[in-house]
Amino acid sequence: MSPAKALSYVRAGDLHFSPDGSQLAYVATSYLWDAQGHLAIVDLNTGKTREFTPPGKSERSPQWSPDGKSLAFLSNRAGRAEIYVMPAQGGDPTPLTARRFGVTGFHWSPDGRTIAYLAKDDDAPDEDSGPQVADRESDLAALWLLNVASGKQRKIGVAHTEIGSFGWQDGGHLLIDGTQTPRVEEFTDAIYRISTNNDAVEPVARVPQPFDNLIVSPDGSSFVVRSTTANGPLERDLLMGSSTGGALRPASSPPDLAVAEVKWHQQPVIWLRLIHGFRNEIWRFAQGTAPQRIALPLSVASFDVAHDGALAFVGEDFQHLPEIWLRSKDGRLRQLSHLQQGWNGVGLARTTIFQTRSFDGTEIEAALMEPTGPRPSGRLPLVLRVHGGPASNFSEGYGWDTAWSEMLASHGYQVLMVNPRGSNGYSEDFAKANRGDWGGGDYKDLMAVLDAVIANGDTDPARLGVGGWSYGGEMSEWAITQSNRFKAAVVGAGVFDQQAEFETERGPAGDEWYFGTPWEHPDIFARNSPSTFIRNARTPALILDGEDDQSNPVGQSKGLYRALKHFGVETEMVLYPGEGHSPDKGSYNVDMFTRILDWYDTHLKRKRDNS
């Protein structure tokens, strides 16, 4: 599998049934299109798919009008992302907005006459030139109301507020998730209600932090958010509140699993996509009945539910590339999409999911990919992959992380993907288990699983590699400062010095949950930084990053590169102009994968010195 082939997959998401259930809108993305979203609609009666996005453009956030006669979406056809609308049965899209800085999100009103959207003022200072003053209120997006028929629009007066998600409570009120102290770089959001008649703003609820994904109930009487019932570190529990105020309560009683996606189209029933280790499941929750897991043959990456109970979902696993499926109310399955082209005859690696006890008895789940094709003779080189996050996880399916692993497996490597403590998709206690301890128990988990695989006898312990992106990159850095057992490392957009990263990253609130602040807890930041132990490193390391990375600023990659050079360790750093934390450009991704494969081949496949 060449780097280009490994990256030639297409993913689908943002699924939306039309109100009458006859059509399904979705957004497809691929590195073939520089990860730009392409909008499409499937007619469920004929199975025909209509694609709308012009070449080189990006479209997302499809939303049907309440009467189902129109589809609105965000498109950059004219440059910035603007709201467009087109007839449900086809026709040329018409722009509804022309904002200088574009639109970031929108929602139809219940009667379909108005669209509320988020956008900066047109007279705000230019964000690409001139003095950039920190924390300007003019940089905040405001709420606007657009009369669809007349085109008239006006701003709702929500001063001094940074708005996240929002939704209509009724024809005269909106609920928003926002903070009135945007200068404070901590979790300070709350739920507010805004009158569209007089712009009055009133508080509704304080929610356990962090939280996101505000969804208003179909009748407007209540709302749900993804939040936390146990003090972080991430939004994984579903909480419900009244639109008129009061305390929040758990909206459902699922197993201790993380909520990834919520659909609420009919008042009594909430549908959830839950992360269960390596698999994503669909659950149905109705008041007064036991939670119901929907039996599906594949892991679910995205979904929607029609009013008659039909379920559309993106299904995938380690043996199946993502496609859209329809599960009718009687349980019958039908494949709707044919997204993947040119994959006939391309075999995916045999992958086994298993559990291992770590140093303290904690059960750790992992997946081992075996080389595709004829088995090479002798013991095999192995690459240990570490996911991002840290509160993320490896899952069954085919995405960027899996493409990296599949490419290596097709070139004769075993690939080990581990969900150590701190990963999402298990218990909340498990997710919190690496607080203030990155490189402690989580690193020991990785080594325990690696040792268990080596004990099986198929792996060459003298030809081990490690690699990952973001937190996975940081843990790869950490691994080569703690052990010389790895002969090659790939570090993507990692953190080298926790204090320097905290002081320069965008949005430090998450790191504050894990570590506090560096000015109050410098010892914790030093103990959790690969830079503290970098003098121990001997492993050749390839460093990759986007030049405009604001999550783990590119100075982190440069610091690691400089330190490795100083200590005489073989290293190479490649930065990608115009790219952020996760490079999107297809040619850059092919270049990355080519370099990754060459780096491992150079250091893990050369003839070993048997002396």
Side-chain angles (χ1 to χ4, degrees):
M1 188 184 292
S2 69
K5 171 51 65 177
L7 288 159
S8 67
Y9 64 94
V10 178
R11 292 196 63 83
D14 213 356
L15 276 57
H16 294 275
F17 277 107
S18 61
D20 65 0
S22 67
Q23 299 187 86
L24 181 76
Y26 68 90
V27 175
T29 58
S30 174
Y31 291 108
L32 297 170
W33 318 321
D34 293 335
Q36 297 185 98
H38 284 198
L39 178 63
I41 296 177
V42 182
D43 186 304
L44 301 184
N45 295 319
T46 65
K48 293 183 178 179
T49 298
R50 293 175 288 150
E51 299 180 0
F52 300 97
T53 306
K57 299 300 181 181
S58 178
E59 293 175 338
R60 58 184 173 89
S61 301
Q63 294 183 33
W64 298 95
S65 61
D67 63 7
K69 295 180 179 180
S70 302
L71 181 71
F73 53 93
L74 294 180
S75 175
N76 68 352
R77 293 172 183 232
R80 303 279 186 176
E82 305 288 356
I83 303 173
Y84 281 71
V85 67
M86 67 181 182
Q89 299 307 318
D92 292 332
T94 301
L96 296 182
T97 60
R99 309 296 313 190
R100 181 181 172 210
F101 298 103
V103 173
T104 57
F106 73 96
H107 288 289
W108 290 92
S109 64
D111 62 9
R113 297 177 180 177
T114 306
I115 289 178
Y117 68 88
L118 278 175
K120 287 171 57 174
D121 280 310
D122 288 347
D123 59 0
D126 196 302
E127 56 190 3
D128 297 323
S129 63
Q132 300 296 298
V133 180
D135 295 323
R136 294 180 298 200
E137 186 172 343
S138 57
D139 288 332
L140 300 177
L143 262 176
W144 300 78
L145 297 181
L146 167 68
N147 184 292
V148 177
S150 69
K152 293 182 179 179
Q153 49 194 305
R154 69 176 181 89
K155 183 168 66 173
I156 299 180
V158 190
H160 317 298
T161 301
E162 183 175 9
I163 300 172
S165 51
F166 66 97
W168 289 87
Q169 179 191 353
D170 53 44
H173 298 88
L174 288 158
L175 296 185
I176 69 165
D177 148 23
T179 174
Q180 295 186 331
T181 56
R183 288 176 59 92
V184 177
E185 295 182 302
E186 299 172 2
F187 294 127
T188 59
D189 280 24
I191 304 296
Y192 299 90
R193 181 168 61 174
I194 302 171
S195 169
T196 61
N197 296 317
N198 59 18
D199 295 4
V201 180
E202 58 182 314
V204 172
R206 295 289 175 183
V207 184
Q209 307 285 336
F211 77 93
D212 66 3
N213 201 35
L214 169 67
I215 297 176
V216 184
S217 66
D219 70 358
S221 65
S222 54
F223 65 89
V224 292
V225 292
R226 286 196 317 170
S227 181
T228 170
T229 59
N231 187 30
L234 75 162
E235 314 87 346
R236 50 170 286 139
D237 305 309
L238 195 68
L239 299 184
M240 179 180 289
S242 169
S243 297
T244 58
L248 276 67
R249 64 187 187 280
S252 56
S253 301
D256 190 9
L257 304 177
V259 176
E261 190 175 7
V262 183
K263 299 290 184 176
W264 197 1
H265 300 319
Q266 294 174 298
Q267 189 63 29
V269 181
I270 299 177
W271 297 77
L272 303 181
R273 176 164 61 92
L274 299 180
I275 305 174
H276 189 179
F278 276 80
R279 204 166 182 86
N280 282 232
E281 303 171 344
I282 300 298
W283 286 70
R284 180 184 185 274
F285 296 89
Q287 187 173 1
T289 64
Q292 176 188 3
R293 184 177 68 84
I294 308 302
L296 297 172
L298 299 167
S299 184
V300 177
S302 181
F303 81 105
D304 196 22
V305 183
H307 285 289
D308 67 354
L311 177 70
F313 66 95
V314 179
E316 58 182 349
D317 60 22
F318 283 131
Q319 291 302 309
H320 297 88
L321 296 169
E323 294 288 357
I324 303 174
W325 295 79
L326 180 69
R327 181 187 185 272
S328 60
K329 191 175 181 180
D330 61 8
R332 290 179 298 173
L333 288 177
R334 173 163 62 100
Q335 184 175 335
L336 292 179
S337 69
H338 297 278
L339 301 170
Q340 316 304 334
Q341 301 297 319
W343 283 84
N344 292 337
V346 180
L348 299 181
R350 179 171 63 86
T351 305
T352 303
I353 298 173
F354 64 98
Q355 290 79 35
T356 300
R357 295 287 178 181
S358 191
F359 69 99
D360 59 356
T362 301
E363 190 172 82
I364 305 300
E365 192 169 38
L368 180 65
M369 276 188 181
E370 299 288 354
T372 54
R375 179 181 173 83
S377 61
R379 290 187 293 179
L380 301 168
L382 179 145
V383 174
L384 170 65
R385 295 289 325 287
V386 191
H387 64 65
S392 182
N393 66 303
F394 285 116
S395 60
E396 288 192 74
Y398 198 104
W400 189 87
D401 258 327
T402 318
W404 176 341
S405 300
E406 288 280 1
M407 177 186 68
L408 293 178
S410 75
H411 285 264
Y413 292 90
Q414 289 181 311
V415 184
L416 179 59
M417 297 175 287
V418 184
N419 287 338
R421 68 192 64 199
S423 298
N424 199 11
Y426 304 90
S427 71
E428 188 134 16
D429 286 342
F430 190 85
K432 294 168 61 176
N434 65 342
R435 189 174 193 178
D437 190 39
W438 294 10
D442 48 3
Y443 172 72
K444 293 178 182 178
D445 294 342
L446 296 169
M447 295 304 102
V449 178
L450 176 60
D451 288 339
V453 171
I454 292 174
N456 291 333
D458 295 329
T459 304
D460 187 345
R463 292 192 292 163
L464 300 178
V466 65
W469 202 270
S470 194
Y471 166 79
E474 177 176 354
M475 288 304 295
S476 300
E477 297 177 38
W478 183 270
I480 67 175
T481 70
Q482 305 300 306
S483 171
N484 292 325
R485 68 192 304 186
F486 297 103
K487 307 309 177 188
V490 174
V491 177
V495 173
F496 182 56
D497 182 326
Q498 290 287 1
Q499 176 164 342
E501 194 248 1
F502 186 92
E503 292 170 342
T504 55
E505 69 181 324
R506 178 177 57 194
D511 284 347
E512 185 170 349
W513 183 91
Y514 281 101
F515 307 127
T517 71
W519 317 294
E520 297 163 307
H521 305 285
D523 56 325
I524 296 176
F525 277 75
R527 189 174 69 242
N528 286 268
S529 295
S531 60
T532 303
F533 309 97
I534 194 61
R535 62 174 53 86
N536 301 325
R538 299 293 183 271
T539 303
L542 170 65
I543 304 166
L544 305 167
D545 205 350
E547 280 194 338
D548 296 339
D549 190 343
Q550 296 186 53
S551 296
N552 295 340
V554 70
Q556 296 294 307
S557 294
K558 292 179 177 180
L560 172 64
Y561 180 61
R562 179 166 290 172
L564 291 175
K565 289 196 299 179
H566 176 79
F567 289 110
V569 180
E570 182 183 352
T571 184
E572 182 176 323
M573 181 175 69
V574 183
L575 305 179
Y576 296 94
E579 297 285 4
H581 189 56
S582 301
D584 289 331
K585 192 173 181 178
S587 62
Y588 286 168
N589 276 274
V590 171
D591 182 83
M592 280 193 289
F593 272 37
T594 302
R595 293 177 186 277
I596 288 169
L597 180 60
D598 289 347
W599 192 261
Y600 286 130
D601 281 353
T602 297
H603 295 92
L604 301 183
K605 285 192 171 180
R606 60 191 176 190
K607 185 176 180 180
R608 289 181 291 120
D609 183 358
N610 294 320
S611 62

